[in-house]
Amino acid sequence: MLLLTGALTSKPYAFTSRPWELRSVQSIDTLDGIGSNIRVDFKESEVLRILPRKNPEVNENWISDKIRFFYDGLKRQRLTSPYIKTNGELRPVKWKKAISKLSSLLKVYSFEYGPSKVGLLASSNMDLETMYALRNFSNNYGFSFLGIDKTLKINMDNPLNYRFQNSISDFEKTDLCLFIGTNPRFEASTLNLRLRKIFRKGNASFASIGGNFASTFPINFLGLSPKTLVSIAEGKHPVCKSLAQAENPKIILGSKLLERADGFVIQDLLNGLVSSFYTIFNKKLSVNLLHTESNTVGGFELGIKSFVKSDLAKCKILYTVGIDKPSFFDNNIKPTSSSVLIMQSSHGDKNTNKADLVLPSYTFVEKTGIYYNTEGRPQKTQRALIGPNLSREDWKIFRILFHSLDKLASFETKSQLITEMSKILPSSYFANSWFDTNSSINQPTLFEFGSKNLGKIYKTSFKLFIEDFYMTSNLCQSSKTMAKASELLRSYSNNYKFLTWASINK
């Protein structure tokens, strides 16, 4: 699922343009949590090719075939105009009417039910500027329900709880890697390549707790049950001997496990294992949380927490920004719900008809934005195209909304927004050029942030998060190339229960 620079001729690009006719910008891959560096080649108003950009610390010379070929989905199923639901049907309107309707809804509902009944949710794939604008909007109006579209049980007091404790390049030094509830081949393809590299050198072994998957290197599958993890934490499992003998062991934890009801317990169990390992063997065992979204860490750095499902049900009006996973609406919003739903997104899908108000926005190719990858490294996308028709940048929509609600925004330009944001998050000002590799903060200490959650761990098996590698977002689901790749993958993967197109397009 990886292609090296120049290894193969790109079929979608063949005979579409001459190389000297192309313009290029440097950007990053926002379809996973690694943030591989890419180059976007475009001509006029269309992306024609995406190639890898060398970065030894992140992706070397590699990118996944998902980011390489997804770009035909940029021009399909796009939202090109604001929509307001009238008599049960969405009808296109001008921006002035849409903003007026939105400001009226926010004023009426916040006055009648209180600001706590207005919910604001951002996608964990949104750029940092949009998240900050949403945070600023929430703070100015007292909307207390603010979150990202994840239900992670994470103690945010310690940054090491929600990002990698090692840099991505450090994994080339490991001699034993334990996967817990994750499939790195699907969730972090370029990281998986580094792991395969050290296997080929004969310097490492691998073990996994969770679903069995087709790996590119041998893995010792220890089982599906959480009992296995408890056994390892207590030092009773046979793999503990390998951990003790390893010079540089590492753990990769799938973020999906922390969405379980016992997520806090799992995290405390691993923290206890790390502390015991350091006390007994005087060696560091690092736990690295692998996110599948491009900016989950950025949201946490801004202080935006995961949403609580019980609080979501109490909202009378819900404003979602960039949420592109159909499963989110299926799992969290009841069809009989009487709350008002406002959707701000770049693409439409089967859930768009549930919205009462729809606002069209840009994709990452059409705006400059900052993203924090799963190791906490700030990187920046560069604008290549202009969004279609009446779509607008997300932060500009919030700036106009401020004025419509008779409030003065604290920023009028993008540079003012970044300057203001850098006051609370200085690293954002140095995106692409700054990354703290100080390992002294990674040393285990006797002081643990937060209280221990001495709860019960459930018997439910650890399940893998991604089943279909090529269908992880609306950008991919709108792509014909990704649809063909998904169909081919499922035809050769008879040990997985992949979704059919009939069930997806209901």
Side-chain angles (χ1 to χ4, degrees):
M1 295 180 185
L2 293 158
L3 296 175
L4 187 61
T5 307
L8 296 174
T9 301
S10 171
K11 186 176 180 180
Y13 170 70
F15 312 114
T16 59
S17 177
R18 301 294 184 185
W20 56 83
E21 297 174 340
L22 298 176
R23 297 171 61 193
S24 302
V25 296
Q26 296 182 349
S27 190
I28 61 170
D29 176 5
T30 64
L31 299 183
D32 62 23
I34 298 299
S36 300
N37 288 214
I38 61 174
R39 191 187 84 198
V40 180
D41 292 344
F42 63 99
K43 180 182 178 182
E44 297 177 354
S45 61
E46 187 174 357
V47 174
L48 296 182
R49 184 172 63 178
I50 293 179
L51 297 175
R53 189 160 50 90
K54 186 175 181 180
N55 187 333
E57 297 298 319
V58 181
N59 60 300
E60 298 179 299
N61 288 319
W62 299 84
I63 57 174
S64 68
D65 50 2
K66 180 164 59 176
I67 187 63
R68 188 184 289 266
F69 295 120
F70 89 97
Y71 55 83
D72 62 315
L74 290 170
K75 56 187 179 182
R76 294 189 173 91
Q77 296 184 335
R78 288 301 299 268
L79 296 172
T80 58
S81 171
Y83 290 86
I84 294 178
K85 183 169 284 186
T86 306
N87 297 325
E89 184 177 340
L90 288 173
R91 300 183 183 277
V93 295
K94 298 296 184 182
W95 267 108
K96 185 176 180 180
K97 186 175 181 179
I99 292 295
S100 176
K101 175 72 171 178
L102 176 55
S103 59
S104 298
L105 285 171
L106 292 173
K107 285 179 180 178
V108 170
Y109 276 79
S110 60
F111 177 78
E112 185 173 350
Y113 298 103
S116 62
K117 298 299 181 181
V118 178
L120 304 175
L121 278 181
S123 168
S124 45
N125 283 315
M126 291 305 297
D127 57 287
L128 200 68
E129 292 89 336
T130 300
M131 288 188 177
Y132 178 77
L134 184 65
R135 176 184 182 271
N136 200 0
F137 180 69
S138 173
N139 292 341
N140 274 280
Y141 291 96
F143 300 144
S144 57
F145 186 95
L146 171 67
I148 59 173
D149 60 339
K150 308 288 287 182
T151 55
L152 299 173
K153 279 68 174 185
I154 291 181
N155 180 9
M156 292 172 54
D157 294 333
N158 186 355
L160 296 181
N161 286 340
Y162 57 76
R163 61 176 173 84
F164 268 24
Q165 296 182 13
N166 302 106
S167 65
I168 293 174
S169 58
D170 285 344
F171 279 88
E172 294 193 20
K173 304 172 186 176
T174 186
D175 52 353
L176 175 61
C177 190
L178 173 63
F179 307 124
I180 304 177
T182 184
N183 175 2
R185 187 180 183 188
F186 281 5
E187 298 178 23
S189 299
T190 52
L191 174 61
N192 185 79
L193 185 67
R194 288 185 185 267
L195 300 176
R196 175 171 169 78
K197 183 196 296 186
I198 60 174
F199 160 72
R200 292 291 298 269
K201 292 179 180 179
N203 298 333
S205 58
F206 306 90
S208 174
I209 306 172
N212 201 341
F213 57 89
S215 176
T216 56
F217 44 83
I219 295 179
N220 179 20
F221 288 96
L222 307 179
L224 300 172
S225 173
K227 289 183 178 179
T228 307
L229 179 59
V230 174
S231 178
I232 293 175
E234 294 175 347
K236 299 177 181 179
H237 197 277
V239 80
C240 293
K241 183 177 180 180
S242 301
L243 284 172
Q245 293 174 346
E247 293 295 327
N248 193 9
K250 289 177 173 48
I251 295 176
I252 299 179
L253 175 66
S255 61
K256 185 67 175 177
L257 290 189
L258 299 187
E259 294 190 14
R260 291 166 49 111
D262 55 359
F264 280 122
V265 184
I266 292 174
Q267 192 171 48
D268 282 339
L269 202 63
L270 290 171
N271 288 339
L273 173 61
V274 170
S275 298
S276 300
F277 194 84
Y278 183 72
T279 302
I280 297 172
F281 302 106
N282 197 25
K283 289 191 293 186
K284 177 172 170 49
L285 174 64
S286 55
V287 178
N288 300 274
L289 184 62
L290 178 61
H291 295 285
T292 56
E293 289 77 22
S294 57
N295 206 22
T296 304
V297 174
F300 288 151
E301 290 285 340
L302 283 177
I304 303 177
K305 300 181 180 180
S306 300
F307 79 95
V308 180
K309 193 172 182 178
S310 59
D311 293 341
L312 184 64
K314 300 175 184 177
C315 290
K316 295 298 182 181
I317 181 169
L318 180 63
Y319 188 171
T320 66
V321 182
I323 297 180
D324 59 357
K325 294 181 180 177
S327 59
F328 172 83
F329 297 96
D330 295 336
N331 298 334
N332 299 291
I333 298 178
K334 298 179 181 179
T336 58
S337 175
S338 59
S339 61
V340 177
L341 178 60
I342 301 163
M343 293 180 63
Q344 183 171 311
S345 183
S346 60
H347 284 68
D349 58 22
K350 65 176 185 177
N351 290 298
T352 306
N353 286 328
K354 297 179 181 179
D356 298 279
L357 178 62
V358 179
L359 304 177
S361 60
Y362 284 0
T363 64
F364 77 95
V365 177
E366 298 154 355
K367 59 185 176 182
T368 300
I370 299 170
Y371 295 80
Y372 280 70
N373 71 353
T374 195
E375 61 176 342
R377 181 189 299 271
Q379 299 184 111
K380 186 182 292 186
T381 61
Q382 295 292 341
R383 182 176 185 171
L385 308 175
I386 298 176
N389 297 358
L390 296 179
S391 57
R392 296 291 183 268
E393 282 195 70
D394 296 277
W395 74 269
K396 288 184 177 180
I397 297 175
F398 287 111
R399 187 194 63 187
I400 296 171
L401 192 56
F402 267 109
H403 293 295
S404 179
L405 291 167
D406 302 323
K407 291 269 189 176
L408 288 176
S410 57
F411 51 86
E412 291 295 328
T413 64
K414 188 72 168 285
S415 59
Q416 289 177 357
L417 187 152
I418 294 175
T419 301
E420 186 177 317
M421 182 173 62
S422 65
K423 293 177 182 178
I424 64 171
L425 191 56
S427 58
S428 64
Y429 197 79
F430 303 97
N432 284 352
S433 61
W434 179 90
F435 180 60
D436 184 10
T437 56
N438 182 14
S439 60
S440 62
I441 61 172
N442 292 341
Q443 296 301 322
T445 62
L446 295 177
F447 177 74
E448 295 290 343
F449 291 86
S451 60
K452 290 287 184 180
N453 293 277
L454 301 176
K456 132 178 183 185
I457 190 164
Y458 293 93
K459 296 180 180 180
T460 310
S461 299
F462 292 159
K463 296 180 181 179
L464 299 178
F465 178 54
I466 297 177
E467 290 184 330
D468 194 339
F469 174 73
Y470 299 102
M471 291 290 150
T472 54
S473 70
N474 271 357
L475 287 172
C476 297
Q477 292 174 2
S478 301
S479 166
K480 287 186 177 181
T481 306
M482 292 294 98
K484 292 178 182 178
S486 173
E487 183 180 5
L488 186 63
L489 176 67
R490 287 180 283 120
S491 67
Y492 284 100
S493 302
N494 53 19
N495 59 330
Y496 291 103
K497 296 181 180 179
F498 290 112
L499 297 175
T500 62
W501 278 108
S503 65
I504 292 175
N505 295 321
K506 280 183 180 179

